[in-house]
Amino acid sequence: EPPDARPARQWSVREWTSRYGRIATGGAAIGLGALLGWAGAVFASRLLYVIAIAICIVPPARRAWRSARSFVLDINVLMVIAVAGAVALGDWPEAAAVVWLFAIAQALEARSLDGARHAIRTLMHLAPEVAVVRRAGQEQEVRATEVRVSDIVVIRPGQRFPVDGVV
């Protein structure tokens, strides 16, 4: 890895507590709600499911509201509809579980996207900034960004490719 490559994005305490704290709290509420429901404390169980839903629904509800205002049907809108439907049917554990699992999926997606961005940034640092091109029978060094579509790029053994092309 080149010394000038930037490290992976660091997670701030605020991000950690808001994203993962929300998931942990929602999961704890669902687990405790399930135990209380099994023990026969229906009201307390339902209250914990409502808390889990309220905690985990906030980010997808915000994104769903923006999408709905633009007349776009996306996964966030569908998630809110699914949770509302489960609540309307009185299936509180299902509603809480769906929105909690969606929160986990969103967090995993964010982590994987950050990893992919870091990998791409690292690869960009590996690409040479200059290319040797053959124009009118002459070889000349040009910036990689100045290579034209019809240019012939000369790559010698052990060199890295500065641009995409057909070999």
Side-chain angles (χ1 to χ4, degrees):
E1 185 168 305
D4 59 341
R6 286 191 260 163
R9 187 173 149 255
Q10 299 298 311
W11 292 84
S12 69
V13 172
R14 183 171 183 219
E15 271 181 305
W16 182 263
T17 55
S18 67
R19 175 175 285 144
Y20 297 107
R22 183 180 320 234
I23 291 169
T25 305
I30 291 169
L32 190 55
L35 286 174
L36 289 174
W38 179 73
V42 177
F43 178 76
S45 174
R46 185 170 296 164
L47 180 63
L48 285 166
Y49 290 136
V50 168
I51 289 170
I53 293 167
I55 288 170
C56 294
I57 197 83
V58 174
R62 284 183 186 148
R63 291 189 292 268
W65 178 248
R66 280 193 299 265
S67 296
R69 283 191 336 217
S70 304
F71 300 104
V72 174
L73 185 65
D74 68 359
I75 188 69
N76 295 294
V77 175
L78 295 174
M79 177 58 52
V80 171
I81 291 170
V83 171
V87 167
L89 293 172
D91 199 349
W92 296 94
E94 181 75 19
V98 164
V99 74
W100 181 67
L101 290 171
F102 187 70
I104 291 172
Q106 294 291 90
L108 291 173
E109 181 182 9
R111 288 289 297 210
S112 65
L113 282 174
D114 285 341
R117 284 187 191 106
H118 173 67
I120 290 170
R121 262 189 256 111
T122 302
L123 285 174
M124 294 302 289
H125 286 291
L126 292 175
E129 294 187 22
V130 295
V132 177
V133 296
R134 186 173 295 144
R135 293 180 180 158
Q138 301 276 350
E139 287 184 8
Q140 55 185 348
E141 264 190 22
V142 298
R143 294 183 50 82
T145 56
E146 296 171 1
V147 175
R148 291 177 263 171
V149 173
S150 60
D151 283 340
I152 296 174
V153 179
V154 179
I155 307 291
R156 295 202 165 70
Q159 287 184 326
R160 289 176 280 165
F161 287 75
V163 293
D164 287 341
V166 178
V167 178

